[in-house]
Amino acid sequence: MMIISCDVAWNPQKSRNAMAVVTDSGEVRFLAQRLDDAHLMDQVCKWASGSRALVLLDVPIEGCRKLTGPRRPLENALQHYMALYPAARSANRGEELKKAIMTGFRHRGSVLVKEIYPHAVYKFLWAVKQSGRLSEVTRGRRCTTLLDGAFTPTQVPPGYKGHKVREERIKGLRYLRNILIRELGLKFTYPLGSPRACSTVVETETLADMYDACLGAVAGWYCVAGNPYAWVAGDEKQGEMLLLADAWLKKQLESRGVDLQRLSGLRPR
């Protein structure tokens, strides 16, 4: 099975799409950045053809048409633990991309499209690493309590995007690259670019996009592999996304009305 994670530009006019392709054994087969929508779709179709595939989009997909505020119920719950962009900013971008992907596949049962939010994945991994218990997630034996009430929006991992000075972003990219390469179990048969090669702001930004695609791929791979910390939060009507959560965060989200389930829906051809 292929896990195809797409870090999507919310503005379709920008060629800022990135993607990471990972097998169900954790082998990184392909990475790309600075793709426009046409090239992104070409690559998704190429890698999803001939096998079952999980396609992940870093943009809200369901639940955006009848919003009564800037956020969906899922974001209203998650914002107590991390910063998120409100779904209203994406308009119908995710729904349209999903429709375009599914239109290209005759056997739709072999392709599943889900939403991902890389920052949510990153913050969880960072917080658990800070506690010295990241290996419990990567070994994936059982879902235990790793977090506590200190997991709030004010507690943030090293930044690598946004309005930070370039030196700080490079430092954040180095930190994240080390986690991706050394600690999560991914096997990079396709090389992951280094911040050392970034000499311009644009190169730094597009490398960050690709790292985000890798974070999405980690959550997707863990979901497919049955890692007990990988969940699908929410529902298809009001909005859902793949994320990582321990027993504490799962309980907190459920107390706010968000269901967490295991990934399902992929059927063999």
Side-chain angles (χ1 to χ4, degrees), residues 184-251:
L184 302 181
L186 292 171
K187 299 178 282 292
F188 281 88
T189 55
Y190 196 100
L192 179 64
S194 168
R196 290 195 301 268
C198 296
S199 59
T200 67
V201 172
V202 171
E203 288 175 343
T204 305
E205 290 177 342
T206 55
L207 185 64
D209 294 339
M210 191 163 67
Y211 284 17
D212 275 353
C214 290
L215 284 167
V218 169
W221 171 41
Y222 282 3
C223 275
V224 169
N227 185 295
Y229 293 94
W231 302 92
V232 179
D235 61 70
E236 290 187 353
K237 183 178 180 180
Q238 295 185 327
E240 65 175 16
M241 70 173 64
L242 270 65
L243 51 72
L244 302 180
D246 71 328
W248 178 88
L249 183 56
K250 179 177 183 289
K251 183 178 180 180

Side-chain angles (χ1 to χ4, degrees), residues 252-269:
Q252 303 307 307
L253 293 175
E254 289 175 337
S255 73
R256 297 182 185 277
V258 176
D259 276 342
L260 277 76
Q261 306 292 334
R262 299 302 183 188
L263 178 69
S264 63
L266 273 174
R267 301 188 301 274
R269 278 196 171 132

Side-chain angles (χ1 to χ4, degrees), residues 54-64 67 71-76 78 84 87 94-95 98 112-117 120 223 231-243 253 257-266:
L54 172 63
V55 180
L56 304 175
L57 302 177
D58 172 25
V59 63
I61 299 175
E62 289 90 6
C64 297
L67 286 174
R71 295 178 175 86
R72 301 171 296 177
L74 178 57
E75 286 119 21
N76 283 330
L78 284 170
L84 300 98
E95 182 182 3
K98 178 178 179 178
L112 188 64
V113 179
K114 293 292 182 182
E115 179 182 332
I116 194 72
Y117 200 86
C223 275
W231 302 92
V232 179
D235 61 70
E236 290 187 353
K237 183 178 180 180
Q238 295 185 327
E240 65 175 16
M241 70 173 64
L242 270 65
L243 51 72
L253 293 175
V258 176
D259 276 342
L260 277 76
Q261 306 292 334
R262 299 302 183 188
L263 178 69
S264 63
L266 273 174

Side-chain angles (χ1 to χ4, degrees), residues 39-209:
H39 287 99
L40 178 70
M41 290 299 148
D42 286 345
Q43 290 294 340
V44 169
C45 289
K46 170 186 174 182
W47 287 99
S49 297
S51 65
R52 293 184 298 158
L54 172 63
V55 180
L56 304 175
L57 302 177
D58 172 25
V59 63
I61 299 175
E62 289 90 6
C64 297
R65 286 191 173 273
K66 297 181 179 180
L67 286 174
T68 57
R71 295 178 175 86
R72 301 171 296 177
L74 178 57
E75 286 119 21
N76 283 330
L78 284 170
Q79 70 176 341
H80 294 277
Y81 312 102
M82 62 192 70
L84 300 98
Y85 287 116
R89 289 190 185 181
S90 69
N92 297 321
R93 173 79 164 144
E95 182 182 3
E96 291 168 355
L97 283 173
K98 178 178 179 178
K99 185 182 297 183
I101 291 169
M102 297 306 294
T103 299
F105 290 93
R106 180 180 174 186
H107 302 285
R108 296 186 181 185
S110 63
V111 177
L112 188 64
V113 179
K114 293 292 182 182
E115 179 182 332
I116 194 72
Y117 200 86
H119 177 71
V121 178
Y122 180 38
K123 179 164 182 180
F124 175 83
L125 294 171
W126 168 78
V128 175
K129 179 176 169 62
Q130 290 294 102
S131 72
R133 301 177 69 181
L134 183 57
S135 62
E136 294 185 40
V137 175
T138 58
R139 287 199 303 265
R141 292 175 181 170
R142 62 190 183 94
C143 185
T144 61
T145 296
L146 305 176
L147 304 176
D148 57 29
F151 192 73
T152 66
T154 59
Q155 302 298 313
V156 295
Y160 58 94
K161 302 186 82 170
H163 300 291
K164 301 181 183 300
V165 297
R166 183 173 177 276
E167 290 76 14
E168 188 175 351
R169 294 178 69 177
I170 292 294
K171 184 178 179 180
L173 286 168
R174 287 173 179 157
Y175 176 85
L176 176 53
R177 186 175 190 269
N178 183 67
I179 292 177
L180 289 169
I181 288 181
R182 302 180 184 278
E183 302 197 50
L184 302 181
L186 292 171
K187 299 178 282 292
F188 281 88
T189 55
Y190 196 100
L192 179 64
S194 168
R196 290 195 301 268
C198 296
S199 59
T200 67
V201 172
V202 171
E203 288 175 343
T204 305
E205 290 177 342
T206 55
L207 185 64
D209 294 339

